[in-house]
Amino acid sequence: MSGTITLTLNGQARAFDAPGGTLTVLGLLTLLELDARKVAVERNEEIVSRSRYGDTALASGDALEIVHFIGGG
Amino acid sequence: MDGAIATDDTWTVAGHTFRSRLIVGTGRYKDLEETGAAIAASGAEIVTVAVRRVNLSDPKAPMLQDYVDPKKYTYLPNTAGCHTANEAVRTLRLAREAGGWNLVKLEVLGPPPLLYPDMQGTFEAAAALIKDGFDVMVYCADDPLAAKRLQDMGCVAIMPLGAPIGSGLGVQNPAMISMMMEHITVPFLVDAGVGTASDATIAMELGCTAVLVNSAIAHAKDPIRMAKAMKLAIEAGRLAHLAGRMPRRMGADPSSPLTGLIR
């Protein structure tokens, strides 16, 4: 099993080390230094429920959108 | 009754009850600090917010939640920038996950320079969102048939424009706004066009449930002072509506008695 996972993050390809071949959504947010309470995640156009971040494993080729609230009218 | 608005003068949308009749946007401010201060001065209980990709190269950048507490204010996520039903649904599903909230503002806009509501896209997106369990407050044209149709579909608030978004032209269509309202039973808000406090008062005098304001506050020279002005303007308009204006007459009607004059 390879130790690297390639993801499309907010439209850009990025490679991440995945010790043991596994990277969860929570693990990814930690690597990205993002506060899981302030973002929402979509994986391959499907919402990832916040309660599932810890047990949702990512696979190479996954497309993720990570969003947050910003000012708007 | 001391002339103040009775404390039970509330309004309810999709089961949520609010006292303030001013909804404010959180966009276009100088910085997040000013955003927070202006919103506090406005007395608003609902704030509209946009949903966008996180800047992954700057994960520690301050976020809106740090300045506008989601526990204190009801976040109303919008679909600004979405041009299809699919984009709108995906965006608001993300918002629901980020905020745990079903109440949303739908806007599907046509191209610049007018950003006029695209009603065909709005109908499609509203149908998809309602099917997915959202409570949809909908930005729309000042079209009585479209508004009635959106209400019949299940939208929880009808929000026509008074003038194009960010134009500050004021309520350019008071007669049409009044006529639309007669067929709407859900909350009815003017959602765009307000440029200064008197515009908000006019919308409330017409009988609107509430008014949504962003640019008029954010682009004022002193946004915090204008936010306070809007708060008072909304209250003034609401009171005037409840009081009932005097009839207009084509001519004078003296205010002082005509009897007892000296000769």
Side-chain angles (χ1 to χ4, degrees):
Chain A
M1 191 97 187
S2 153
T4 303
I5 284 183
T6 306
L7 305 168
T8 303
L9 276 191
N10 287 354
Q12 294 204 315
R14 298 261 303 259
F16 293 91
D17 285 332
T22 303
L23 182 63
T24 63
V25 170
L26 186 61
L28 175 68
L29 294 177
T30 306
L31 281 177
L32 294 170
E33 297 181 68
L34 289 172
D35 185 342
R37 295 165 302 173
K38 291 180 184 170
V39 301
V41 180
E42 184 190 69
R43 178 195 183 203
N44 301 329
E45 301 202 5
E46 295 286 335
I47 287 288
V48 182
S49 159
R50 194 169 290 190
S51 60
R52 312 269 320 180
Y53 285 175
D55 51 36
T56 301
L58 298 168
S60 269
D62 280 353
L64 290 130
E65 294 286 343
I66 304 176
V67 303
H68 65 151
F69 289 126
I70 67 158
Chain B
M1 188 74 188
D2 60 0
I5 296 179
T7 50
D8 59 354
D9 180 37
T10 58
W11 65 287
T12 299
V13 60
H16 308 283
T17 298
F18 300 97
R19 185 152 288 127
S20 171
R21 292 173 182 272
L22 175 59
I23 297 178
V24 293
T26 55
R28 316 184 78 176
Y29 286 93
K30 186 178 68 185
D31 51 36
L32 286 169
E33 196 164 38
E34 187 183 80
T35 310
I39 289 166
S42 77
E45 296 167 299
I46 305 177
V47 299
T48 63
V49 296
V51 179
R52 291 292 183 274
R53 285 172 164 170
V54 171
N55 179 359
L56 295 172
S57 60
D58 189 10
K60 294 295 169 207
M63 291 192 179
L64 186 65
Q65 288 101 313
D66 301 328
Y67 293 85
V68 181
D69 185 355
K71 291 192 189 74
K72 189 170 169 199
Y73 299 98
T74 296
Y75 272 33
L76 183 66
N78 70 25
T79 60
C82 296
H83 294 280
T84 66
N86 182 47
E87 286 169 359
V89 172
R90 281 177 61 199
T91 297
L92 292 178
R93 279 183 181 152
L94 281 162
R96 181 161 61 185
E97 193 57 34
W101 195 256
N102 270 338
L103 189 64
V104 295
K105 174 187 164 183
L106 172 64
E107 51 184 302
V108 181
L109 307 179
L114 293 183
L115 301 178
Y116 203 77
D118 175 339
M119 292 313 295
Q120 184 173 331
T122 301
F123 285 127
E124 289 169 15
L129 289 167
I130 290 165
K131 190 169 168 232
D132 203 41
F134 286 99
D135 295 320
V136 180
M137 301 175 72
V138 60
Y139 177 59
C140 60
D142 59 348
D143 173 341
L145 293 182
K148 181 69 164 55
R149 190 171 297 160
L150 288 164
Q151 175 175 270
D152 292 345
M153 288 170 69
C155 289
V156 299
I158 303 298
M159 309 199 290
L161 77 173
I165 291 171
S167 67
L169 289 171
V171 181
Q172 290 294 311
N173 48 0
M176 190 56 73
I177 291 286
S178 295
M179 286 186 270
M180 286 176 79
M181 233 182 293
E182 290 189 15
H183 303 283
I184 298 301
T185 54
V186 296
F188 184 96
L189 294 79
V190 163
D191 182 352
V194 168
T196 188
S198 54
D199 299 332
T201 302
I202 286 168
M204 292 305 297
E205 284 174 350
L206 291 173
C208 288
T209 312
V211 176
L212 201 157
V213 179
N214 189 345
S215 303
I217 297 174
H219 281 186
K221 282 183 184 142
D222 182 342
I224 294 158
R225 191 170 281 180
M226 184 59 87
K228 176 83 193 231
M230 286 294 173
K231 174 183 162 51
L232 297 172
I234 293 282
E235 289 175 8
R238 176 67 182 165
L239 272 174
H241 174 72
L242 293 175
R245 62 154 298 139
M246 65 166 283
R248 291 178 169 86
R249 56 184 292 146
M250 288 303 187
D253 183 17
S255 302
S256 304
L258 294 178
T259 55
L261 288 162
I262 60 165
R263 296 290 178 209

